[in-house]
């Protein structure tokens, strides 16, 4: 094999490795530890389930359309319309659960109180990471929810 062909193969492998690494680590919650995430309010009136998930490009980009985020919650395919960002909190992901530490729960309650219609908060990293029901927030206890796909 010529040197030129070897360099082309090596370059291709490097580019492929960089692309895989980018997609695996662009979401900080895929790495160990606690990370800063943005908090948004879910607009319940116009968000909901969809029977037809977006095409390949929409799923890759995490969008149903220009202003609606796509997420999967178990078997449910969701199109989420968000208001915000409202602020940031620290969160971690382990065993399919996203957890906000008890110290940040009062901040979540305060962020939700800005709009009396907010019933669900959405934690965002590279896309929707978790849906946190406001009614389930209790001071002194961590807030946990299933991680969205």
């Amino acid at each position: 094999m010529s040197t030129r062909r070897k360099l082309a193969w090596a370059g291709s492998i490097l580019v492929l490795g960089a692309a895989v690494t980018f997609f695996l680590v662009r979401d900080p919650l895929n790495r160990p530890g606690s990370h800063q995430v943005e908090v948004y309010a879910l607009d319940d009136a116009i968000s909901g389930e969809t029977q037809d998930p977006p095409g390949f490009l929409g799923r890759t980009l995490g969008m149903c359309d220009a202003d609606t985020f796509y997420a999967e919650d178990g078997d449910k395919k969701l199109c989420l319309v968000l208001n915000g960002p409202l602020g940031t909190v620290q969160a971690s992901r382990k065993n399919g659960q996203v957890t906000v530490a008890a110290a940040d729960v009062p901040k979540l309650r305060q962020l939700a109180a800005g709009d009396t219609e907010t019933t669900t908060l959405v934690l965002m990293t590279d896309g929707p990471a978790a849906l946190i029901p406001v009614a389930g927030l209790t001071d002194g206890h961590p807030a946990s929810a299933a991680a969205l796909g």
Side-chain angles (χ1 to χ4, degrees), residues 23 26 53-65 70:
F23 281 107
R26 68 181 181 172
F56 173 75
L57 185 59
R59 282 194 301 267
T60 303
L61 297 175
M63 303 294 288
C64 290
D65 58 35
Y70 177 74

Side-chain angles (χ1 to χ4, degrees), residues 94-115:
K94 188 175 182 180
N95 300 327
Q97 293 285 312
V98 175
T99 303
V100 176
D104 275 340
V105 169
K107 185 174 182 180
L108 283 176
R109 292 175 62 79
Q110 178 186 13
L111 294 173
D115 179 2

Side-chain angles (χ1 to χ4, degrees), residues 4-134:
R4 190 175 222 173
R5 186 176 280 174
K6 287 178 187 177
L7 288 174
W9 274 101
S12 298
I13 290 171
L14 285 173
V15 168
L16 181 61
V20 168
T21 301
F22 171 76
F23 281 107
L24 290 178
V25 299
R26 68 181 181 172
D27 182 354
L29 291 179
N30 286 335
R31 297 185 297 244
S34 181
H35 304 279
Q36 189 169 345
V37 298
E38 290 186 320
V39 179
Y40 287 77
L42 179 66
D43 190 331
D44 292 316
I46 52 180
S47 296
E49 274 190 71
T50 180
Q51 298 302 316
D52 301 316
F56 173 75
L57 185 59
R59 282 194 301 267
T60 303
L61 297 175
M63 303 294 288
C64 290
D65 58 35
D67 63 350
T68 309
F69 289 89
Y70 177 74
E72 293 180 1
D73 186 8
D75 302 359
K76 297 179 189 175
K77 294 166 179 46
L78 306 170
C79 286
L80 309 173
V81 178
L82 308 178
N83 296 323
L86 305 175
T88 60
V89 294
Q90 293 290 316
S92 61
R93 179 187 209 153
K94 188 175 182 180
N95 300 327
Q97 293 285 312
V98 175
T99 303
V100 176
D104 275 340
V105 169
K107 185 174 182 180
L108 283 176
R109 292 175 62 79
Q110 178 186 13
L111 294 173
D115 179 2
T116 58
E117 295 179 16
T118 300
T119 62
T120 305
L121 295 173
V122 181
L123 301 182
M124 291 282 290
T125 54
D126 183 49
L131 301 174
I132 307 286
V134 174

